[in-house]
Amino acid sequence: MFQIPRGTRDFTPEEMQKRRYVEEKIRSTFQQFGYKEIQTPTFETLELFTAKSGEAIIDELYAFKDKGGRDLALRPELTAPVIRFYVDKLQMESKPLKLFYFGNCFRYDRPQKGRYREFMQAGCELIGTDTPEGIAELIGLAYTILKSVGLKDLKLFIGNLNILSSIFKTFNISKEQQKKLTPLIDKSMFNDVVLCLKDFGISEKDAQKFKEVLQASDLKIILELTEKDEQAKNEMMKLKQIFELLKNVFEIKTCEIKMSIVRGLDYYKGVVFEIDAPTLGAEKQLCGGGAYELIPLFGGRETPTSGFAIGFDRTILALDVEEYNYPSLKLDFYVIPVNEEMISKSLEITQNLRKNGLSVDMDLLKRGMSKSLKYASSINVDKIIIVGQKELVDESVTIRDMKTGAQELVKIKDLYQNLR
Ligand code: HAM
């Protein structure tokens, strides 16, 4: 027997129904905010992903050579592909350009619940504006999407990498030292951050102050530290404005400043944000994004960019934890021919009903009346059409209500009107 590859999953019809339902909700919210859907290929040239992150990222990729010896990779995310597409074909479009996508991504991660090697992202890129209103709308969109799919328990965190850089500068932490600190900050291992800082020769007092700033949710504490840095001060003002818009316009109550957001990808700069579903445990991050820079690196004309991606699989997991009530997918009718001679007439009726926009299935196994009825009660169908010889003479069929067991005789020509 063949095994499914590690970190991949099959989806049952029931799971697919849930996934498509949620996908449609997400799609319609993107559209409500003026975003347009695009699609890019599942694999790209390897260089697209190493250009910003360097060769080290190859360890996390599904990278391979094709038969022509070209270096390719399955996409680990869609921001770099979308920006490649933009620089190649969409630069002349009027701004701001609002693009969204659904796509499977591949990462050579260590699989666990909520972390897979093939997973799905729903994301977007906003090209051509970085006003506080633009960024607030972007973050508001991410939050609105997760709310609109039905999630109740969400937490939004906002940080800013330029401000974090300024804080690093204040404490005289070099670029090399930052590289060592960043993974610890990313994992919220703040005690290890303090130990690391002390190793760098920073005093206990300063190390503790640095830790306090990383954990501060009060803008004032951060403002005190960055007062002398003009750029950081401007970023702080912008952050404050975004924060207020999110509270007042988007009515997001669970929004916090978090300077320790560093994001895993190398292209971010400025505002960054994450949305968690606390109920999910270790892999609780549902969405991540922020402002970033890739266009100049890809040879395009500089313009501000920001975006986010929602982990679609984790969204479904979070809905399951919250015991979300999905609407059930129902067949309108199940058609049963009483014997073999009735099969072609049954198929004709089935097909006519489908032409009228109803979802209808019929017995194709010639399994006889009682087995067919048993089957019908095992699927989600309210009404059954029984096609019998006697009734057909009179151009009629029997309709049975599966809930009550009541039966009535209906003329075939009246069928469509009556059934609607
Ligand atoms: P990311 O944070 O790497 O950002 O991924 C976004 C989301 O994808 C995560 O928050 C998580 O929910 C989900 N995700 C990531 N890895 C896995 C995995 N192995 N299994 C299941 N879900 C996973 C990006 O990818 C950026 N491109 C987002 C962005 C768009 N930034 C700007 N524009």
Side-chain angles (χ1 to χ4, degrees):
M1 212 164 59
F2 294 110
Q3 298 285 314
I4 193 169
R6 207 163 124 74
T8 66
R9 288 150 305 147
D10 296 312
F11 299 106
T12 63
E14 290 74 26
E15 285 166 331
M16 277 318 291
Q17 191 209 323
K18 284 186 189 176
R19 290 171 73 86
R20 290 291 183 221
Y21 174 78
V22 174
E23 186 179 322
E24 255 337 290
K25 286 212 153 188
I26 295 178
R27 180 171 285 113
S28 69
T29 312
F30 272 129
Q31 286 164 343
Q32 269 191 314
F33 276 65
Y35 280 76
K36 297 205 169 85
E37 187 166 1
I38 53 164
Q39 209 174 54
T40 61
T42 311
F43 58 86
E44 297 272 355
T45 58
L46 175 62
E47 224 188 326
L48 182 74
F49 303 110
T50 55
K52 184 80 198 176
S53 307
E55 301 283 310
I57 199 181
I58 297 177
D59 285 347
E60 294 162 39
L61 294 179
Y62 277 87
F64 57 97
K65 273 193 196 299
D66 74 358
K67 292 193 173 72
R70 301 170 194 90
D71 282 309
L72 302 172
L74 297 182
R75 59 183 174 203
E77 56 107 39
L78 281 98
T79 303
V82 170
I83 295 305
R84 173 202 47 73
F85 181 22
Y86 167 78
V87 170
D88 187 18
K89 300 193 183 80
L90 304 173
Q91 284 198 81
M92 300 310 282
E93 298 283 315
S94 46
K95 308 284 183 318
L97 194 56
K98 292 173 149 185
L99 306 170
F100 81 94
Y101 49 79
F102 283 89
N104 49 350
C105 302
F106 305 83
R107 294 185 190 178
Y108 204 78
D109 261 334
R110 266 180 62 179
Q112 64 182 77
K113 195 173 167 72
R115 199 198 300 158
Y116 313 101
R117 289 186 170 170
E118 181 180 12
F119 61 98
M120 180 91 143
Q121 278 188 350
C124 69
E125 311 303 334
L126 172 64
I127 303 172
T129 176
D130 61 357
T131 58
E133 295 77 15
I135 301 283
E137 189 197 55
L138 179 85
I139 302 174
L141 168 60
Y143 194 86
T144 306
I145 288 177
L146 291 171
K147 275 277 161 195
S148 75
V149 302
L151 288 172
K152 293 192 188 82
D153 197 1
L154 295 171
K155 253 184 155 332
L156 166 64
F157 299 99
I158 307 180
N160 185 309
L161 295 181
N162 295 339
I163 299 173
L164 186 65
S165 281
S166 168
I167 297 171
F168 279 134
K169 245 197 281 170
T170 314
F171 288 94
N172 287 321
I173 299 168
S174 71
K175 285 260 178 291
E176 269 315 300
Q177 293 170 333
Q178 286 176 31
K179 270 194 197 144
K180 282 197 185 142
L181 279 177
T182 306
L184 300 175
I185 298 174
D186 190 26
K187 293 190 192 87
S188 301
M189 294 162 72
F190 299 117
N191 290 336
D192 292 349
V193 168
V194 170
L195 290 177
C196 199
L197 286 174
K198 288 205 293 201
D199 273 354
F200 297 157
I202 289 169
S203 70
E204 169 79 30
K205 192 170 149 244
D206 275 357
Q208 289 298 345
K209 180 81 189 159
F210 184 83
K211 179 181 159 188
E212 188 194 341
V213 173
L214 285 185
Q215 293 180 290
S217 55
D218 186 351
L219 279 176
K220 261 196 236 143
I221 298 180
I222 305 154
L223 207 56
E224 271 169 29
L225 260 186
T226 51
E227 219 153 27
K228 287 189 207 103
D229 184 336
E230 211 42 51
Q231 198 207 351
K233 233 166 84 182
N234 285 340
E235 294 278 352
M236 282 299 289
M237 289 304 131
K238 192 168 157 184
L239 194 60
K240 209 163 157 235
Q241 212 178 332
I242 293 170
F243 204 67
E244 263 147 33
L245 285 168
L246 288 171
K247 288 221 148 163
N248 301 333
V249 180
F250 291 92
E251 297 173 348
I252 304 176
K253 305 277 180 291
T254 51
C255 177
E256 265 179 42
I257 296 287
K258 190 172 164 186
M259 278 304 138
S260 61
I261 298 182
V262 286
R263 308 284 304 127
L265 297 149
D266 292 316
Y267 45 61
Y268 289 103
K269 58 167 203 143
V271 180
V272 281
F273 70 98
E274 290 174 355
I275 304 176
D276 287 356
T279 49
L280 281 187
E283 300 302 322
K284 61 176 184 283
Q285 197 195 110
L286 288 186
C287 173
Y292 62 90
E293 193 174 75
L294 272 179
I295 290 180
L297 182 70
F298 289 1
R301 269 183 312 281
E302 200 161 347
T303 187
T305 42
S306 52
F308 64 80
I310 289 173
F312 186 77
D313 307 270
R314 290 186 192 171
T315 305
I316 302 281
L317 283 177
L319 284 167
D320 286 345
V321 174
E322 290 192 8
E323 295 183 354
Y324 182 76
N325 234 338
Y326 288 93
S328 56
L329 194 67
K330 274 199 169 172
L331 271 180
D332 293 306
F333 298 103
Y334 187 68
V335 181
I336 306 175
V338 295
N339 58 33
E340 278 191 36
E341 285 153 49
M342 295 296 107
I343 290 179
S344 64
K345 189 69 189 172
S346 298
L347 194 55
E348 185 188 312
I349 293 171
T350 301
Q351 196 49 21
N352 278 334
L353 288 167
R354 287 172 180 159
K355 275 192 208 155
N356 275 269
L358 297 166
S359 22
V360 190
D361 199 5
M362 74 167 264
D363 171 40
L364 292 171
L365 291 184
K366 305 176 184 173
R367 62 183 135 197
M369 202 55 208
S370 70
K371 279 194 181 151
S372 282
L373 275 175
K374 208 165 152 197
Y375 172 76
S377 58
S378 76
I379 59 172
N380 205 359
V381 61
D382 286 341
K383 287 193 172 148
I384 285 185
I385 297 174
I386 300 164
V387 184
Q389 214 138 18
K390 252 193 353 231
E391 295 79 9
L392 263 192
V393 175
D394 202 22
E395 286 294 302
S396 299
V397 289
T398 305
I399 296 178
R400 181 187 171 97
D401 187 314
M402 284 303 278
K403 268 194 212 114
T404 62
Q407 301 202 154
E408 64 172 324
L409 216 57
V410 176
K411 288 263 185 232
I412 294 176
K413 70 174 168 50
D414 296 335
L415 199 55
Y416 312 129
Q417 284 85 338
N418 281 11
L419 298 181
R420 275 170 189 280

